[in-house]
Amino acid sequence: FKYCTAIKLVDITEIDEKNFLEYIKEWKENHESIFPTVCEQNGKTYSDWIKPQFPLLNSETKSKDLIKSETFYLVEDNGYIIGAIDLRYDLTAEVLKHEGHLSFGVRPAERRKGYAFIMLKQSLNKLRLNRVNKALITTNRDNKAAGF
């Protein structure tokens, strides 16, 4: 039994390398694809991976072929990462064909505990604050964690 600790949704500036790498390691040890895919390092070091994450929110600094997005992490007060959610604020027609306004994942050891619901609820509020009043949420049929 795990004691209840405070949890909160934080942005990328509030996570640390050690907890992030432990989070990613757990996905890999379970031989699962990492969700949201923005968390996949693709062989990069943590410092090389994190640098391009910051400009994605700013329309003036992001590449024109990328959409405005922001990634948040559900963390315990000790920095332990429970899950992550990537919010996309401006969807293109191409993105609408394959994805929605958000993509999220909960680390394998923390599934079936209601954390996805917490992330989803808090993220919908963040989307509303960014003038997204209707959110498209998609999942794959082979996503066992989603209950299919």
Side-chain angles (χ1 to χ4, degrees):
F1 179 74
K2 187 175 181 179
Y3 293 98
C4 184
T5 60
I7 58 171
K8 61 184 175 178
L9 205 59
V10 301
D11 69 27
I12 199 165
T13 63
E14 297 182 63
I15 62 166
D16 64 62
E17 181 175 2
K18 177 185 164 284
N19 282 304
F20 180 79
L21 294 177
E22 286 176 2
Y23 173 73
I24 297 303
K25 180 181 175 188
E26 186 173 321
W27 285 85
K28 290 181 178 183
E29 286 175 346
N30 279 276
H31 307 287
E32 295 184 37
S33 297
I34 300 168
F35 286 99
T37 55
V38 71
C39 293
E40 179 59 63
Q41 291 177 277
N42 297 317
K44 296 178 183 173
T45 65
Y46 178 79
S47 58
D48 286 340
W49 168 82
I50 200 168
K51 286 176 194 170
Q53 306 301 317
F54 296 108
L56 294 176
L57 185 58
N58 187 332
S59 299
E60 295 171 10
T61 59
K62 73 174 180 57
S63 170
K64 295 220 183 292
D65 59 328
L66 297 175
I67 58 173
K68 180 180 173 186
S69 67
E70 189 172 22
T71 306
F72 294 94
Y73 299 84
L74 189 67
V75 299
E76 292 182 348
D77 52 2
N78 62 3
Y80 174 82
I81 300 172
I82 297 167
I85 188 160
D86 185 45
L87 302 182
R88 301 177 195 102
Y89 299 113
D90 301 318
L91 299 186
T92 63
E94 188 62 30
V95 172
L96 280 169
K97 288 180 187 177
H98 308 286
E99 302 178 75
H101 284 91
L102 47 89
S103 173
F104 59 96
V106 174
R107 72 189 306 156
E110 302 300 337
R111 293 183 184 150
R112 301 272 183 232
K113 298 178 183 179
Y115 292 125
F117 177 78
I118 293 168
M119 287 192 307
L120 182 59
K121 186 172 181 180
Q122 290 185 19
S123 295
L124 289 173
N125 288 334
K126 289 184 180 299
L127 286 170
R128 271 189 221 102
L129 292 171
N130 282 274
R131 298 186 177 147
V132 177
N133 295 315
K134 291 183 180 181
L136 175 63
I137 302 169
T138 63
T139 190
N140 294 327
R141 290 185 189 269
D142 59 350
N143 183 346
K144 294 175 188 168
F148 289 104

